[in-house]
Amino acid sequence: MSSSRGGNGRGGGEGERQIHVLAVDDSSVDRAMIARILRSAKYRVTTVDSGKKALELLGLEPDVNMIITDYWMPEMTGYELLKRVKESSELREIPVVIMSSENVPNRINRCLAEGAEDFLLKPVRPSDVSRLCSRIR
Amino acid sequence: MLPLCSRVLLSHPFSPMSLMALREQLNMLVNSMYIEGLLDQQFQQLQMLQDASSPGFVAEVINLFCEDAERILTELTKDQAVVDFQKVDAYVHQLKGSSSSVGAQNVKLACIQFRQFCEENNKDGCLNALNVVKHHYYLLRNKFDTMLQLEQRIQAYDSKQQN
């Protein structure tokens, strides 16, 4: 798990709190990519490698403004994580974005129906993220 | 294959090759990798994410990719007598994902073929496909090694110039 908490800390240039994104992906390559994309867009990022760790973190730190998660992970899929978040009274307001390397319409629809904010196809690009985050602000 | 003069120069690490020449060599290498299908456009996306605030990003991702790929290839090479198609497919899916993310085109395509054989429960097809993936991966890794060496030399040169 890594966090840029020590660096810029809170507060963007305008005195606003920095948006904190929790990125969940079991692939170390994809974690590095999504973290870099988010950080270069000036978001504070915490990465974890499983849904279980994501829920642990969310239980401790409710200052997460957005969750971006891979769909296909061992043990707990991104869809299952999405459901758990949306079922929780403390967490349900947090937007959840699903990422997947596979373009499966049923999967996409199920996630959106369950309350996902958006569904991104991998490999994710900076333009996907800026489009997303401007809607979430 | 790098041209002869480049191979000779690379084997003399202290040769005073100019920064410009190093950059040119790196460009030539990367271009040849695109032309030969080792890399696709996604690698450019990766390069664009590297900047002054994150100068080692490409190297970091390449290293993560290689660690991951070698871990997976090691797993896939075990127990070839009995093929657990679901388990194999899960590994190949992972490798396909990471190769897609770094722009490793030939490796990705080989993984797609491999998954096809898994789906068909075709053992011989899978064993062959594994060899094809390895072939493409090790070719790529070789070139990545050269690329990273060149990058390191360029960055060392840059920081020397600044002192």
Side-chain angles (χ1 to χ4, degrees), chain A residues 56-69:
Chain A
E56 281 168 13
L57 187 101
L58 289 164
L60 296 170
E61 263 194 55
D63 76 335
V64 169
N65 305 112
M66 183 171 86
I67 298 165
I68 183 163
T69 178

Side-chain angles (χ1 to χ4, degrees), chain A:
Chain A
M1 194 167 100
S2 79
S3 170
S4 61
R5 202 171 311 147
N8 298 338
R10 303 197 167 209
E14 313 89 46
E16 271 176 51
R17 281 174 143 219
Q18 224 184 351
I19 291 186
H20 181 197
V21 182
L22 175 61
V24 190
D25 201 316
D26 62 314
S27 159
S28 57
V29 169
D30 289 346
R31 277 199 305 279
M33 295 287 290
I34 192 67
R36 177 78 197 115
I37 290 174
L38 288 165
R39 283 177 186 139
S40 63
K42 307 298 181 208
Y43 299 105
R44 173 154 86 92
V45 185
T46 303
T47 60
V48 293
D49 65 7
S50 71
K52 180 172 167 212
K53 288 192 185 146
L55 289 172
E56 281 168 13
L57 187 101
L58 289 164
L60 296 170
E61 263 194 55
D63 76 335
V64 169
N65 305 112
M66 183 171 86
I67 298 165
I68 183 163
T69 178
D70 189 25
Y71 179 88
W72 197 255
M73 297 185 290
E75 288 164 22
M76 189 189 293
T77 65
Y79 175 73
E80 285 158 2
L81 175 59
L82 165 68
K83 275 178 62 169
R84 297 278 290 267
V85 168
K86 294 303 165 186
E87 282 163 6
S88 152
S89 48
E90 292 95 25
L91 304 176
R92 71 161 60 109
E93 296 304 312
I94 304 175
V96 181
V97 174
I98 313 276
M99 304 180 281
S100 177
S101 58
E102 294 171 317
N103 190 350
V104 181
N106 277 350
R107 180 185 294 180
I108 297 173
N109 288 333
R110 251 182 14 167
C111 289
L112 294 175
E114 200 62 43
E117 181 68 28
D118 208 332
F119 192 102
L120 301 179
L121 277 181
K122 284 180 168 182
V124 173
R125 296 197 167 185
S127 53
D128 296 326
V129 166
S130 56
R131 177 194 93 210
L132 196 62
C133 291
S134 63
R135 277 164 43 204
I136 283 168
R137 262 181 203 274

Side-chain angles (χ1 to χ4, degrees), chain B residues 36-96:
Chain B
E36 291 164 28
L38 273 71
L39 295 177
D40 63 28
Q41 229 202 68
Q42 177 60 20
F43 188 75
Q44 271 183 308
Q45 292 289 321
L46 198 73
Q47 288 177 304
M48 292 194 311
L49 287 170
Q50 178 161 298
D51 62 18
S53 73
S54 195
F57 180 68
V58 173
E60 181 199 337
V61 175
I62 286 175
N63 286 324
L64 287 172
F65 167 69
C66 290
E67 269 172 30
D68 205 48
E70 288 172 35
R71 171 186 64 89
I72 290 170
L73 290 174
T74 300
E75 285 302 321
L76 289 173
T77 304
K78 291 177 182 174
D79 295 333
Q80 289 191 27
V82 181
V83 179
D84 178 342
F85 292 107
Q86 262 194 328
K87 194 168 152 200
V88 167
D89 184 69
Y91 277 125
V92 181
H93 172 84
Q94 276 182 52
L95 183 55
K96 181 193 140 226

Side-chain angles (χ1 to χ4, degrees), chain B:
Chain B
M1 251 331 238
L2 288 174
L4 179 63
C5 59
S6 315
R7 289 206 300 276
V8 167
L9 284 166
L10 273 183
S11 69
H12 294 286
F14 303 113
S15 98
M17 202 170 158
S18 76
L19 182 57
M20 199 164 79
L22 281 171
R23 288 210 169 116
E24 196 181 298
Q25 214 177 328
L26 179 57
N27 285 338
M28 269 171 30
L29 172 62
V30 176
N31 284 337
S32 76
M33 290 169 80
Y34 283 115
I35 289 168
E36 291 164 28
L38 273 71
L39 295 177
D40 63 28
Q41 229 202 68
Q42 177 60 20
F43 188 75
Q44 271 183 308
Q45 292 289 321
L46 198 73
Q47 288 177 304
M48 292 194 311
L49 287 170
Q50 178 161 298
D51 62 18
S53 73
S54 195
F57 180 68
V58 173
E60 181 199 337
V61 175
I62 286 175
N63 286 324
L64 287 172
F65 167 69
C66 290
E67 269 172 30
D68 205 48
E70 288 172 35
R71 171 186 64 89
I72 290 170
L73 290 174
T74 300
E75 285 302 321
L76 289 173
T77 304
K78 291 177 182 174
D79 295 333
Q80 289 191 27
V82 181
V83 179
D84 178 342
F85 292 107
Q86 262 194 328
K87 194 168 152 200
V88 167
D89 184 69
Y91 277 125
V92 181
H93 172 84
Q94 276 182 52
L95 183 55
K96 181 193 140 226
S98 57
S99 55
S100 168
S101 294
V102 309
Q105 184 175 250
N106 281 347
V107 175
K108 178 185 79 170
L109 293 175
C111 287
I112 290 172
Q113 287 282 19
F114 196 156
R115 292 191 79 197
Q116 191 58 37
F117 288 122
C118 289
E119 224 170 292
E120 297 164 4
N121 287 5
N122 180 341
K123 180 180 167 182
D124 282 340
C126 283
L127 294 177
N128 277 337
L130 176 57
N131 285 335
V132 173
V133 171
K134 282 179 174 175
H135 166 79
H136 286 302
Y137 169 71
Y138 285 108
L139 261 180
L140 176 63
R141 202 192 70 174
N142 215 323
K143 302 227 169 176
F144 270 157
D145 284 345
T146 308
M147 186 195 294
L148 293 185
Q149 275 175 50
L150 282 169
E151 268 223 12
Q152 267 182 12
R153 288 177 68 189
I154 289 167
Q155 286 181 3
Y157 203 108
D158 268 342
S159 55
K160 242 194 338 200
Q161 294 290 71
Q162 281 159 27
N163 291 339

